[in-house]
Amino acid sequence: MPILALRGNVLFPGVILPVTAGRKKSIKLLKEAYKKNFLIGAVAQCTDAEDPVYEDLNCIGTAAKVLKILEMPDGNVLGILQGTRRIRLTSLVSTTPYLKGEVVESPEEMEFDKNTATSEDTAAIESIRDMYEQFVKNSPNLPSEATIAIKNIESPKLLVNFVASHLEISTYEKQHLLEIVSFRKRTEKVLSQLTKETDFMEVKNHKQKKDKDDMDKQE
């Protein structure tokens, strides 16, 4: 499978992600994949290597469709990717004209259904939905459209992956979330991280409001 090495991004199954490609190999791959409509493997780098080899890539990645490409004025290409399923990269077999690797499927655990979900599972999913909506409202860096998107996601797995993709955490931490096979454990981890971010945002907003009130009083 052709491999797109991602720097600073992790693609989750089901999630749509814009990525900017500046390297010649990546640009060529995105253009060909879009034109010929073939799947690629989106794999996050674990180093900052400009010309990555196998050791510079994480083993777990995501097969993806290239939904659209946009050529930018600076020569870069913006690719809109949609993850389909998890894959494991076992080796690189070619580096020209772009990276190609041997991959195998790396299935995730199935999401909860009516027969397997406990009351705690259901509560965790709804907490992620409600908390993320509130987080978007309180965050100046996130578009309000994200709340519309989260309301329209019915699949618990896509909901968890969508929020994981948009958490303000490091690439390393997102990669760790992608590598969790257990859907229940990934849900718990995403909820825990989202709770931390929400609490931090509330404290930050409260402090900013207090500082503004103090300045208004001084005037």
Side-chain angles (χ1 to χ4, degrees), residues 200-213:
F200 175 77
M201 183 65 68
E202 288 179 354
V203 171
K204 181 180 178 182
N205 288 345
H206 177 74
K207 184 178 183 304
Q208 288 177 342
K209 184 178 184 303
K210 184 178 182 301
D211 291 345
K212 184 177 183 301
D213 291 342

Side-chain angles (χ1 to χ4, degrees), residues 18-215:
V19 297
T20 301
R23 292 179 286 201
K24 290 181 179 179
K25 292 180 181 180
S26 298
I27 291 173
K28 184 174 182 59
L29 173 54
L30 286 176
K31 287 182 176 180
E32 284 197 13
Y34 179 67
K35 182 179 180 181
K36 299 178 182 178
N37 193 31
F38 58 74
L39 289 178
I40 66 173
V43 181
Q45 290 188 206
C46 51
T47 73
D48 293 327
E50 180 62 29
D51 194 13
V53 295
Y54 181 72
E55 289 73 21
D56 298 308
L57 302 173
N58 288 288
C59 292
I60 299 297
T62 303
K65 298 176 182 177
V66 182
L67 301 181
K68 190 173 183 179
I69 59 170
L70 296 170
E71 297 191 38
M72 312 300 286
D74 59 3
N76 292 341
V77 167
L78 178 67
I80 309 299
L81 308 183
Q82 182 172 31
T84 59
R85 61 187 184 276
R86 279 196 351 164
I87 56 172
R88 177 181 293 276
L89 178 66
T90 59
S91 67
L92 285 182
V93 297
S94 176
T95 58
T96 56
Y98 38 70
L99 300 180
K100 293 180 183 178
E102 293 282 353
V103 303
V104 294
E105 279 201 64
S106 182
E108 302 170 276
E109 191 178 85
M110 294 295 292
E111 65 187 65
F112 308 134
D113 58 33
K114 293 180 180 179
N115 298 320
T116 61
T118 65
S119 57
E120 289 81 6
D121 295 334
T122 304
I125 293 296
E126 289 310 309
S127 292
I128 288 176
R129 190 188 304 275
D130 295 341
M131 199 175 296
Y132 189 73
E133 284 186 36
Q134 192 60 42
F135 182 75
V136 171
K137 290 178 182 177
N138 293 332
S139 176
N141 299 323
L142 295 173
S144 58
E145 290 81 3
T147 58
I148 299 174
I150 207 76
K151 287 178 180 178
N152 291 328
I153 297 176
E154 296 182 2
S155 162
K157 181 175 285 186
L158 180 53
L159 174 69
V160 171
N161 285 350
F162 177 88
V163 174
S165 178
H166 290 82
L167 288 172
E168 296 181 358
I169 56 178
S170 68
T171 304
Y172 173 83
E173 291 171 299
K174 287 185 179 181
Q175 179 66 30
H176 175 67
L177 290 175
L178 177 65
E179 292 178 2
I180 297 174
V181 176
S182 167
F183 179 60
R184 180 173 280 110
K185 288 183 179 179
R186 187 186 294 175
T187 299
E188 292 171 353
K189 190 72 175 176
V190 169
L191 179 57
S192 174
Q193 186 62 46
L194 184 57
T195 300
K196 290 179 185 178
E197 290 195 22
T198 302
D199 291 344
F200 175 77
M201 183 65 68
E202 288 179 354
V203 171
K204 181 180 178 182
N205 288 345
H206 177 74
K207 184 178 183 304
Q208 288 177 342
K209 184 178 184 303
K210 184 178 182 301
D211 291 345
K212 184 177 183 301
D213 291 342
D214 290 344
M215 290 181 63

